[in-house]
Amino acid sequence: MCDISSLKIFLYDWAGYNQSLSQIIHSSITYKPFIMWVRNFTQICNFYYSPILFGILLIIFYGLLRRDKKTAMSRGVLYTKCLLLFGLNMFVAAIVFEVIKSFFSYSRPYCVPAFNMKEYLLHLFSYPKKACYSSFPSFHSAYACLLVVSFWKILNKNLKITGIIFIFLIGLSRVILGKHFLADVAYACLIALIIINPLNNLLIAKYFSRYESLVKKFLKKIV
């Protein structure tokens, strides 16, 4: 019968490949301007900036509704559902991920002695010791996944492809910066896509109809 440590080696450490693959990705990027860009790019999925993103989305959707008033009502209801789903996803993810991080307390790459961190990275960016044991899972990666899937229904083909690339780049950025291992990124996406988003989708589908009339009354006033 497998004990907990054996399960960790198999499921998280990937028999050593989790750290070794993460090390290869981290060490292969040496161009400082690109790393600076990665550092700024990854902040898009910083939870503390989510109200700003939410506000930007509101402005974008308002502009889209004003462009075509004939279909504004039906599209407005759909946009509202997507915004509610995004907000609910972020709220639930913040709680779930905090519990998981506290329970497992896995070390971040920059706190693992065997992980060869670039020396200049430690001077360029913030690598707080108090956050050492919150590597698993990566909230930034989950944020990217939830952002894209929350609005999946209203994205065209090109935007869907862009969204998938965005998720990949955010996850990669966390490994490049030495903030997370590959497993942290992979499991974060699985939790977001297989558990959090589907469950919240069910909640929206079940309860949104109760308030749809209020949404339509509000939409009539603004468009």
Side-chain angles (χ1 to χ4, degrees):
M1 186 174 182
C2 293
D3 56 21
I4 295 177
S5 60
S6 297
L7 286 174
K8 180 178 181 295
I9 292 173
F10 178 72
L11 295 175
Y12 181 79
D13 295 333
W14 299 344
Y17 285 103
N18 182 28
Q19 181 168 318
S20 61
L21 290 174
S22 300
Q23 181 71 73
I24 291 171
I25 294 172
H26 175 74
S27 302
S28 64
I29 307 299
T30 58
Y31 187 53
K32 289 186 181 181
F34 177 72
I35 295 176
M36 289 295 292
W37 177 84
V38 168
R39 185 255 187 183
N40 292 319
F41 173 73
T42 197
Q43 293 305 312
I44 296 174
C45 291
N46 187 320
F47 176 75
Y48 297 107
Y49 298 153
S50 55
I52 298 175
L53 177 59
F54 200 86
I56 293 172
L57 290 171
L58 283 175
I59 295 172
I60 292 173
F61 290 151
Y62 175 74
L64 291 174
L65 292 177
R66 297 284 292 182
R67 287 175 59 184
D68 184 4
K69 292 189 177 182
K70 291 182 178 180
T71 60
M73 190 62 63
S74 59
R75 288 186 296 113
V77 170
L78 184 56
Y79 293 165
T80 302
K81 284 184 178 181
C82 292
L83 285 168
L84 286 174
L85 179 60
F86 177 56
L88 189 57
N89 274 337
M90 294 309 300
F91 175 75
V92 173
I95 296 174
V96 170
F97 275 62
E98 187 60 34
V99 171
I100 295 175
K101 284 176 179 286
S102 299
F103 180 79
F104 286 96
S105 297
Y106 287 172
S107 295
R108 292 181 182 269
Y110 66 84
C111 297
V112 177
F115 195 90
N116 183 24
M117 282 287 295
K118 300 189 194 76
E119 288 298 323
Y120 64 85
L121 273 179
L122 296 173
H123 300 290
L124 285 174
F125 310 120
S126 173
Y127 290 88
K129 291 294 182 181
K130 64 180 181 180
C132 269
Y133 300 102
S134 58
S135 188
F136 175 79
S138 166
F139 186 84
H140 280 71
S141 300
Y143 188 124
C145 290
L146 293 173
L147 174 60
V148 174
V149 297
S150 294
F151 300 97
W152 191 259
K153 292 180 180 179
I154 61 175
L155 300 179
N156 60 33
K157 183 179 178 180
N158 290 334
L159 287 177
K160 286 179 179 179
I161 294 173
T162 302
I164 293 171
I165 294 173
F166 174 73
I167 293 171
F168 174 78
L169 290 178
I170 287 293
L172 188 64
S173 73
R174 305 309 291 166
V175 181
I176 290 174
L177 294 175
K179 295 282 190 173
H180 289 283
F181 291 104
L182 277 173
D184 302 324
V185 171
Y187 285 119
C189 290
L190 286 175
I191 294 170
L193 298 176
I194 296 178
I195 300 175
I196 294 177
N197 185 69
L199 289 177
N200 288 331
N201 240 323
L202 288 175
L203 288 175
I204 296 293
K206 183 175 182 179
Y207 294 106
F208 182 81
S209 58
R210 299 182 183 182
Y211 308 99
E212 189 170 342
S213 59
L214 294 176
V215 172
K216 287 181 177 180
K217 287 181 181 178
F218 176 74
L219 289 170
K220 285 181 180 179
K221 292 182 179 179
I222 66 172
V223 299

